[in-house]
Amino acid sequence: MLIVMKHGASQKNEDKVVEYIKTRGFQAHISKGDVHTVIGAVGGKIIDPRDIELLDGVKEVIKITSSYKLVSRVFQKKDTIIEINGEKFGGKNIGIIAGPCTIESEEQIMECAKALSKMGVKIIRGGAFKPRTSPYAFQGLGEEGLILIRKAADKYNLAVTSEIMEISQIPLFEKYVDILQIGARNMQNFNLLKEVSHVKKPIILKRGLSATIEEWLMAAEYLMAGGNREIILCERGIRTFETTTRNTLDLCAIPVVKKLSHLPIIIDPSHGTGLRDKIYPMSMASVAAGCDGLIIEVHNNPERAICDGAQSLYPKQFKELYDKLKVLAPVCDKVIS
């Protein structure tokens, strides 16, 4: 349930409400707005909301019928805006993340970081631990890959995002990575979600291959319930009967999520289509639909990429797209910093 405090309610009033719900087994999550403070009561047993309404400073108690509470627009009406290395996601901001599918060598990641930095990109992506459908496919360089991308990022003043696969990797990611990424295959790895929710770094949560929007938001609820408020949702295509593209990019998820949740939503057109020539139109369409960011695969030499070369842009292609996105964004009442 959500407890809306009266305008002008004192800190003492808020503290008493928090104390009251905690004694009844609830967790308290506080969201301070321009007019009202909202206290989310999560967990606990069923109680009579009238008992809370009688407390000093309480305006009303709202029952939430959906399973996700903290990620809902009811809990927080204003968009969450997340800033990383000067790049903003949410509100009117469109953040850009780019880089190779996987870290292959020091030369490769250095070339990519140099090219992207020259274009004004502030966040680089790159996989060190790769979940692959085939057990014989390249699985990533592991910690060595994280060391290499950190070195490249530090040299060119970039933030790093990479996909974490399991709980045991958390210390490595806390050391080398600025933004943790939960991949599609781990969206409902609830033990992993619970543990990474305590990490004090932003988290990109990708939608599962066959996940509904509600299941996706419930996964985000795990992260927020654990204490992390810097969650970025990522639509990366879902599995349908269509085989022309790698996945079916669900652009409808953008307006649906923005109505249901205050969290920023970004789009991955690279995995969403699996084809280099489809990235440009889907990126433009994503901005037109109101997305809060894009994560795009860019490789210095896609033809020789160890994996996903077919869905990676050449640096020159990415620059052309980036320049066009900067022109389109203001038309859609958005800004690319």
Side-chain angles (χ1 to χ4, degrees):
M1 71 182 74
L2 297 180
I3 302 155
V4 182
M5 303 300 293
K6 293 177 181 177
H7 179 56
S10 67
Q11 186 62 51
K12 186 177 180 181
N13 294 151
E14 291 180 23
D15 293 342
K16 283 191 174 181
V17 172
V18 170
E19 182 183 357
Y20 180 86
I21 62 176
K22 282 185 175 180
T23 59
R24 279 143 183 85
F26 290 87
Q27 293 179 6
H29 295 266
I30 301 171
S31 176
K32 291 186 178 291
D34 294 335
V35 179
H36 298 290
T37 294
V38 178
I39 302 172
V42 180
K45 298 179 180 179
I46 298 174
I47 59 175
D48 191 335
R50 293 176 298 178
D51 293 335
I52 300 175
E53 288 177 345
L54 291 172
L55 297 175
D56 291 339
V58 174
K59 180 176 183 286
E60 62 179 324
V61 176
I62 302 171
K63 287 187 176 181
I64 299 180
T65 55
S66 65
S67 300
Y68 51 89
K69 298 175 175 61
L70 303 177
V71 307
S72 74
R73 185 70 75 172
V74 179
F75 175 66
Q76 181 178 314
K77 295 191 182 300
K78 290 180 64 176
D79 291 339
T80 288
I81 298 175
I82 298 171
E83 183 172 355
I84 305 142
N85 196 30
E87 195 78 340
K88 294 180 181 179
F89 301 84
K92 293 183 180 294
N93 306 285
I94 299 175
I96 302 295
I97 302 170
C101 170
T102 189
I103 303 149
E104 300 168 5
S105 66
E106 181 171 358
E107 180 184 8
Q108 172 245 16
I109 199 63
M110 281 292 182
E111 284 189 24
C112 289
K114 181 180 180 180
L116 293 171
S117 177
K118 281 185 176 180
M119 296 177 209
V121 173
K122 299 172 184 175
I123 305 173
I124 188 170
R125 58 148 292 150
F129 300 90
K130 298 297 297 179
R132 306 301 302 278
T133 303
S134 169
Y136 308 112
F138 179 64
Q139 306 288 315
L141 295 178
E143 184 177 4
E144 180 188 352
L146 293 179
I147 293 171
L148 292 177
I149 195 171
R150 182 74 267 164
K151 182 178 179 181
D154 289 343
K155 182 174 181 178
Y156 294 104
N157 193 29
L158 302 170
V160 172
T161 182
S162 192
E163 181 176 349
I164 186 168
M165 295 284 293
E166 56 185 64
I167 294 170
S168 65
Q169 295 167 355
I170 290 177
L172 287 178
F173 278 73
E174 288 182 312
K175 182 178 181 181
Y176 298 114
V177 174
D178 302 296
I179 313 161
L180 278 67
Q181 185 176 306
I182 304 293
R185 294 169 180 82
N186 270 319
M187 189 204 83
Q188 289 185 310
N189 183 341
F190 300 121
N191 287 333
L192 178 61
L193 296 179
K194 288 177 184 177
E195 291 302 318
V196 298
S197 72
H198 305 306
V199 177
K200 298 188 183 304
K201 291 177 183 285
I203 297 172
I204 295 173
L205 178 65
K206 286 199 165 187
R207 184 179 180 182
L209 281 71
S210 302
T212 65
I213 289 176
E214 182 177 24
E215 289 168 338
W216 186 19
L217 294 177
M218 281 301 301
E221 187 79 6
Y222 268 90
L223 297 172
M224 290 200 73
N228 195 313
R229 297 296 180 90
E230 294 192 301
I231 313 300
I232 300 172
L233 301 170
C234 180
E235 162 62 37
R236 44 79 70 199
I238 53 176
R239 178 170 291 171
T240 68
F241 56 82
E242 183 53 65
T243 58
T244 305
T245 52
R246 179 174 181 175
N247 295 292
T248 298
L249 190 60
D250 184 10
L251 293 184
C252 242
I254 299 171
V256 171
V257 164
K258 290 185 79 66
K259 182 177 181 180
L260 296 173
S261 176
H262 54 87
L263 297 177
I265 174 172
I266 67 174
I267 301 298
D268 180 350
S270 302
H271 284 92
T273 65
L275 296 166
R276 187 181 303 128
D277 64 340
K278 304 296 186 296
I279 293 174
Y280 178 96
M282 289 299 96
S283 296
M284 300 291 278
S286 299
V287 171
C291 76
D292 300 305
L294 291 160
I295 179 167
I296 299 172
E297 292 193 358
V298 180
H299 194 288
N300 61 314
N301 192 348
E303 295 169 350
R304 294 189 178 182
I306 292 178
C307 66
D308 288 348
Q311 66 184 42
S312 299
L313 295 180
Y314 291 86
K316 182 180 178 181
Q317 290 177 314
F318 175 74
K319 186 180 186 307
E320 292 173 357
L321 171 58
Y322 199 14
D323 290 342
K324 288 291 178 64
L325 290 171
K326 290 176 181 176
V327 174
L328 176 62
V331 178
C332 303
D333 199 25
K334 290 276 193 173
V335 176
I336 294 180
S337 59

